[in-house]
Amino acid sequence: MTSLRAVKGMNDVLPEEMPRWHFVERTYAETMRRHGYREVRTPYVEPTGLFVRTVGETTDIVEKEMYSFVYQGEELTLRPEGTAGAARAYVEHSVHGREGISRWYYVGPMFRGERPQRGRYRQFYQLGAEIFGDAGPGCDAEMIDMLVGFLRELGIGDAEVLVNSIGGSDTRERFKQALVQYLEPRKAKLTADSQRRLGTNPLRILDSKAEEDQAAIAEAPTVLEFLAPEDRAHFDKLEAFLKALGTPYRVEPRLVRGLDYYTRTLFEIKGAKAKLGAGDTLLGGGRYDNMVGDLGGGSVPALGFAAGLERLLIASEASPPPSAPPVYVAALGDAACSAALVLARDLRKSGLSAEGDARGGSLKSQLRRANTLGARFALVVGESELARGVVQAKDLGAHAQEEVSRDRVHEWITARMTSPEGSAS
Ligand code: HAM
């Protein structure tokens, strides 16, 4: 029989890794709360057409990377990203009719059939956020500044912010023409994919990582040279706001992103190159002022970003505060076993993490188990303690032991917990 293993590019996250995940997720939720975002949860599966329409038919994601299938006649796809689903939900529930500006955030798995490598997986987690209803560059700047602060809280010190503008449809049309004019004579030097895209979606060529394409586009015109006046004004204001906020950034006129829905502002934050190598884009985002309208929701500007959670974990130098170790309750003798279970349950009710061991065995073997669990306190209940309503309370960190009355155990533990390990006697 072939052994059953996790699907290539999809990873288990084992319990010992979870404290770091929880730390990043908590820090993110707290950042979101402070900035007025509320959590949204949308399905992992959406109609395939949603991604074709929004992400774009000729993007790598839609052309090559989607987990699509037909179920009972419906064409469905495991979501490769979260923006399209959020915008669909926004339109479907007529949220615009109820509130002027909506700030949403999400955390969850995304699926892309990419070639797995460090920081690139086929199931990966994104932390993302979308703002619907705010057209101004102030909100672009605020989001970028918020993300710089968030990365700092995660202990990611060397983050580099890149910004660009892809403009509105006028700008893009003029830029596309100029790009095609420039690339047409160099067509033979492009990869087959890019040669095809010259006819279908020339902007995607700028996003190619292939060396041949990189060489051909090195001197190509950049979109900033073609910005229409209102796009230029938006970009200038964004820069002014970033400067006022003191947010470090660099204009990168060659920055294009791999999704077709963007308008005007684009940004990425890179970091931890030494640990992430080529896949050092920690997060990316931008404006997509036409998506809600394209989905039938009227004219509602939008902006958002998403970060790869695994990449943040690789880049982060912060260690989460250790969680309080459990209290171990040892039982000596049959009668004490039930008392140990009851005592552990009562300690849990008062908020402690406790483990009652009703498996029996010698005191030595039970204390060994307490050690393995990483417990700082062990409470020993034997027949004589049971009869007298007490426990032998051991502070394993301080190598101290005391007989404590059964109803004072919680008090005894909390008093010692607040004093540093080993200092109480
Ligand atoms: P994206 O650039 O495709 O944008 O992905 C955002 C981030 O997700 C990347 O910067 C990276 O950290 C992470 N990521 C992407 N693919 C993988 C992968 N295969 N393995 C691990 N991490 C990955 C979006 O998804 C847009 N929805 C962002 C957005 C929101 N734009 C506007 N609103």
Side-chain angles (χ1 to χ4, degrees):
M1 200 178 85
T2 52
S3 64
L4 291 171
R5 300 179 67 88
V7 174
K8 185 176 172 197
M10 303 200 181
N11 302 308
D12 301 310
V13 185
L14 296 177
E16 52 268 33
E17 302 168 65
M18 286 315 296
R20 295 191 76 231
W21 283 66
H22 286 156
F23 170 68
V24 174
E25 288 169 11
R26 265 200 317 272
T27 308
Y28 184 58
E30 180 51 23
T31 303
M32 292 289 101
R33 186 192 65 74
R34 288 200 306 258
H35 287 80
Y37 291 78
R38 293 181 302 152
E39 185 177 0
V40 64
R41 295 190 186 186
T42 60
Y44 294 179
V45 178
E46 295 278 0
T48 300
L50 176 67
F51 302 112
V52 176
R53 285 247 304 266
T54 57
V55 172
E57 204 165 356
T58 50
T59 55
D60 276 356
I61 293 180
V62 171
E63 278 188 344
K64 306 177 192 164
E65 298 169 358
M66 294 208 301
Y67 284 90
S68 299
F69 55 98
V70 176
Y71 183 73
Q72 297 186 345
E74 270 190 288
E75 290 189 22
L76 304 174
T77 291
L78 292 184
R79 61 181 189 187
E81 58 102 55
T83 308
R88 180 207 43 73
Y90 180 85
V91 172
E92 190 167 326
H93 299 280
S94 310
V95 180
H96 186 47
R98 280 183 274 128
E99 51 190 42
I101 295 182
S102 307
R103 293 178 164 228
W104 288 4
Y105 81 92
Y106 49 87
V107 177
M110 307 293 160
F111 304 85
R112 296 184 195 175
E114 296 193 76
R115 199 163 50 79
Q117 61 189 69
R118 186 162 176 75
R120 176 164 295 133
Y121 313 103
R122 291 184 169 176
Q123 176 177 322
F124 59 99
Y125 287 74
Q126 278 188 347
L127 308 174
E130 315 294 345
I131 302 182
F132 297 103
D134 192 334
C139 118
D140 308 15
E142 189 197 68
M143 180 176 277
I144 294 170
D145 185 61
M146 169 186 85
L147 293 167
V148 169
F150 170 57
L151 295 183
R152 217 172 275 145
E153 278 190 63
L154 296 183
I156 300 174
D158 60 347
E160 189 193 12
V161 180
L162 309 178
V163 297
N164 194 18
S165 173
I166 188 86
S169 25
D170 269 8
T171 297
R172 273 200 311 280
E173 228 18 78
R174 281 182 298 115
F175 176 51
K176 244 186 236 176
Q177 281 174 18
L179 189 64
V180 172
Q181 219 168 37
Y182 175 85
L183 287 176
E184 202 58 61
R186 297 164 176 83
K187 188 169 175 177
K189 295 196 177 124
L190 297 172
T191 56
D193 249 5
S194 290
Q195 291 190 14
R196 185 173 48 81
R197 282 178 173 163
L198 201 54
T200 56
N201 192 350
L203 293 186
R204 289 276 62 85
I205 299 173
L206 300 176
D207 200 28
S208 165
K209 302 281 176 286
E211 262 174 41
E212 305 95 292
D213 293 336
Q214 287 286 328
I217 61 183
E219 303 289 313
T222 64
V223 63
L224 287 183
E225 302 160 40
F226 295 86
L227 284 189
E230 54 289 8
D231 295 332
R232 165 55 66 188
H234 188 101
F235 194 60
D236 287 347
K237 279 195 191 139
L238 164 65
E239 283 204 69
F241 285 133
L242 287 174
K243 285 187 181 120
L245 287 163
T247 317
Y249 72 95
R250 178 161 68 78
V251 175
E252 175 45 74
R254 299 199 178 273
L255 174 68
V256 283
R257 308 216 343 97
L259 306 107
D260 276 353
Y261 50 63
Y262 290 113
T263 53
R264 295 193 168 163
T265 309
L266 295 178
F267 59 87
E268 281 187 356
I269 303 189
K270 295 178 181 288
K273 183 144 197 83
K275 292 183 187 166
L276 279 162
D280 62 342
T281 306
L282 300 171
L283 62 86
R287 278 205 161 269
Y288 50 101
D289 290 342
N290 300 332
M291 191 191 295
V292 172
D294 290 346
L295 294 175
S299 165
V300 178
L303 165 77
F305 86 93
L309 185 34
E310 293 87 347
R311 293 190 190 180
L312 296 182
L313 285 165
I314 294 171
S316 169
E317 300 284 347
S319 32
S323 52
V327 176
Y328 179 85
V329 188
L332 297 176
D334 283 350
C337 286
S338 327
L341 293 181
V342 173
L343 178 53
R345 185 198 55 195
D346 291 350
L347 291 174
R348 283 184 210 117
K349 275 190 196 155
S350 58
L352 292 171
S353 156
E355 180 148 332
D357 196 338
R359 286 174 294 177
S362 68
L363 179 60
K364 200 168 159 199
S365 67
Q366 293 196 59
L367 288 181
R368 213 177 297 130
R369 285 181 214 151
N371 234 330
T372 313
L373 275 179
R376 174 170 166 194
F377 301 101
L379 306 173
V380 184
V381 191
E383 314 260 314
S384 120
E385 283 81 12
L386 205 54
R388 289 181 294 124
V390 295
V391 303
Q392 298 301 329
K394 291 174 179 292
D395 183 337
L396 301 171
H399 302 288
Q401 173 168 332
E402 228 177 290
E403 187 168 282
V404 179
S405 123
R406 166 78 171 70
D407 35 303
R408 278 201 49 245
V409 170
H410 179 254
E411 203 182 307
W412 183 86
I413 291 173
T414 44
R416 283 189 162 254
M417 263 178 21
T418 48
S419 65
E421 200 163 314
S423 74
S425 58

